[in-house]
Amino acid sequence: MAVNKFTRVIIVITTISAAIMELIDTSIVNVALNNISGNLGATLEDTSWVVTAYAIANVIVIPMTGFLSRYFGRKNYYLASIIIFTLASYMCGASSSLWMLVFWRFVQGVGGGALLSVSQGILFDAFDPSEKAKASGMFGMGIVIGPTIGPILGGYIVDNYAWPLIFDINIPFGIVASLLTWKFIDKKENEYNIDRKSIPIDYIGVLSLSAGIGALQYILEKGQSDDWFEDSTIRIMTATAVAGLAAFIWWELKTKTPIINLRVLKSRNLIGSNVLTFVCGFGLFGSVYLFPLMVQRVMGYTPTESGLSMIPGALVTIMVMPFIGASLGKGVSPMFFVVTGFGLFILHGYTSAQATPDADKWWFMYTQIFRGVGTACLTVPLLSQAVVGLKPQDMAYGISLNNMFRQIGGAFGIAIMNTYSTQRFAVHRSDLVSNLQGNNPLMNERVAGVAQGLISKGVNPIAANAHGAWSNLDRTISGQAQMLAYLDGFLLVSVFFVCTIPFMLLLKTEKMDAETRARVAAEAH
């Protein structure tokens, strides 16, 4: 599609802005969870649904993007997605309860699912074949900038304004992107007079996937607080998850027109790469979820400070990704980067787990750099390994599956980290309390010192001794238990990566032509 320079500039601005907008919303909420929890009167465990609802919607929609583009026409689907995303953003900001916010975050994720893959397709069509590498580079920078801006922007907004603004800022950008899409992005020839009757819809596949993933996510989120299988709802959700996922696999292998072609999983490279990608998503999303909570709730960071503390990881990702792309182009084996990335993520989890309450921002810089370089080393190389051995007509399915597994890993990572840290908090608090002995002179001296401090400030001596000093000790114990629980969560990241190292043995390496390599790099979002 030949376009003039002005239209090309508009298309570049529109597509990259839409992609950045979607990516910002995957990370901007993390630094605001503490404030949202307090403002809406919800537990942090329930508030984590604000993040996972968006991820679940992405898991469901991303594999369906190709089908939806064919069925509605790419431009129509893209424009509708931007409008849905923008309207849902407004409703998120206007939400007066947690579950209202969770619902609209899910709708926002449905709209956001198209903003990456469709954006890059539209962008690439605006460039001549000889310039597609330039387009890939611009889009790649855009998808790295989004997660970088998100925590910083979210922290600044929460500290200086109110959390609803983290959603409301999408509205003007969404309106402008909608107008530019409607005016400047043309339809392709196959988007006119679409014969929708000839395009079968895999209703069973969509419904069974949605039911299975949604129920499994509920189990992971609520199992700990609801006493697992002692709760009837958990038992029902378990049956739903098993039945839904089993029906999805059976149907997708049976039907001639699957929404996701699971037959490509005959490739051992794709199986191994998907497992490793799942763990990569688990580690990335899980650690990015834990870090702001730990430094805000235990170490006293402001949301802005916690966002700024995550900059080093994002910056090194930006710097390292072009080097990795160039190295792959020169024939360096993707396995070199996969092994390096796994080692760095293991190091990230282990070093993060060594943090102390008085660790400064410079100490965390190193752990964030490990995560950033590890992410860069795994994103494109794992996707490169996923498509090895696939036929050209199956490559799109392989890429789609790999991206889906990353999103599923991220959703599960957040849920498991949330549940695990809650369980470990209870264990650590119980252990710390059991060590308190009434005849311990150091403890009695501390309680007496706190009581005297309260008395000097005018507190009634009886209240100071009976309640104030012991309440202070209780808060100290809870804070220490919370810190230990978060550190256990980081260590769990390392354990997951170590346990999946054997899946690397499934991967074999083949040389990849320039066109395939460019396509893989473009799809690695």
Side-chain angles (χ1 to χ4, degrees), residues 139-180:
F139 195 81
M141 292 298 290
I143 64 175
V144 173
I145 289 172
T148 307
I149 295 174
I152 304 167
L153 185 60
Y156 179 81
I157 288 172
V158 171
D159 277 339
N160 295 280
Y161 302 99
W163 66 263
L165 189 58
I166 66 177
F167 302 111
D168 293 339
I169 59 171
N170 291 328
I171 297 171
F173 293 101
I175 292 172
V176 172
S178 299
L179 293 174
L180 293 177

Side-chain angles (χ1 to χ4, degrees), residues 107-299:
V107 176
Q108 190 186 43
V110 171
L115 298 188
L116 283 176
S117 55
V118 180
S119 285
Q120 65 192 22
I122 292 172
L123 176 65
F124 281 18
D125 282 349
F127 285 81
D128 296 328
S130 60
E131 297 180 305
K132 288 191 186 295
K134 183 196 299 183
S136 178
M138 287 190 292
F139 195 81
M141 292 298 290
I143 64 175
V144 173
I145 289 172
T148 307
I149 295 174
I152 304 167
L153 185 60
Y156 179 81
I157 288 172
V158 171
D159 277 339
N160 295 280
Y161 302 99
W163 66 263
L165 189 58
I166 66 177
F167 302 111
D168 293 339
I169 59 171
N170 291 328
I171 297 171
F173 293 101
I175 292 172
V176 172
S178 299
L179 293 174
L180 293 177
T181 299
W182 175 71
K183 178 67 176 176
F184 291 98
I185 294 179
D186 295 327
K187 292 182 178 180
K188 299 173 74 174
E189 289 185 11
N190 60 2
E191 294 181 61
Y192 295 96
N193 302 316
I194 298 173
D195 182 12
R196 294 186 175 88
K197 293 181 180 179
S198 66
I199 305 176
I201 302 176
D202 184 12
Y203 291 110
I204 295 177
V206 174
L207 291 175
S208 57
L209 175 64
S210 302
I213 293 295
L216 183 56
Q217 192 70 31
Y218 181 90
I219 296 165
L220 293 173
E221 290 279 0
K222 302 292 288 183
Q224 174 68 27
S225 61
D226 292 349
D227 202 19
W228 295 104
F229 297 109
E230 296 298 319
D231 180 71
S232 60
T233 304
I234 293 294
R235 292 197 296 269
I236 292 170
M237 286 296 177
T238 301
T240 303
V242 172
L245 293 176
F248 171 73
I249 294 170
W250 173 78
W251 179 256
E252 295 303 283
L253 292 174
K254 173 181 178 292
T255 184
K256 294 180 179 179
T257 55
I259 195 72
I260 302 174
N261 185 7
L262 297 183
R263 296 181 185 90
V264 297
L265 286 173
K266 293 177 182 178
S267 165
R268 73 176 198 178
N269 259 62
L270 185 56
I271 293 173
S273 180
N274 283 346
V275 172
L276 300 178
T277 298
F278 175 90
V279 175
C280 179
F282 177 95
L284 176 60
F285 284 76
S287 60
V288 169
Y289 168 78
L290 277 184
F291 179 77
L293 292 178
M294 182 179 74
V295 296
Q296 287 182 52
R297 302 189 85 195
V298 180
M299 305 179 71

Side-chain angles (χ1 to χ4, degrees), residues 27 52 73 77 80 87 115 120 127 142 149 174 183 202 205 282 286 294 302 319 328 332 354 378 389 448 512:
S27 58
T52 52
Y77 175 52
L87 289 174
L115 298 188
Q120 65 192 22
F127 285 81
I149 295 174
K183 178 67 176 176
D202 184 12
F282 177 95
M294 182 179 74
T302 65
M319 292 186 289
L328 291 173
V332 176
Q354 308 309 308
L378 291 174
M512 192 175 292

Side-chain angles (χ1 to χ4, degrees), residues 49-108:
W49 275 101
V50 175
V51 179
T52 52
Y54 190 93
I56 291 172
N58 270 197
V59 167
I60 295 168
V61 171
I62 286 175
M64 297 169 54
T65 299
F67 161 76
L68 293 171
S69 295
R70 292 193 306 273
Y71 191 83
F72 295 105
R74 186 175 65 174
K75 177 179 177 177
N76 292 338
Y77 175 52
Y78 187 61
L79 179 58
S81 295
I82 295 175
I83 293 172
I84 291 170
F85 185 89
T86 305
L87 289 174
S89 296
Y90 169 77
M91 293 305 300
C92 285
S95 295
S96 56
S97 69
L98 175 64
W99 298 113
M100 181 180 176
L101 175 58
V102 169
F103 171 79
W104 287 109
R105 274 287 282 177
F106 182 86
V107 176
Q108 190 186 43

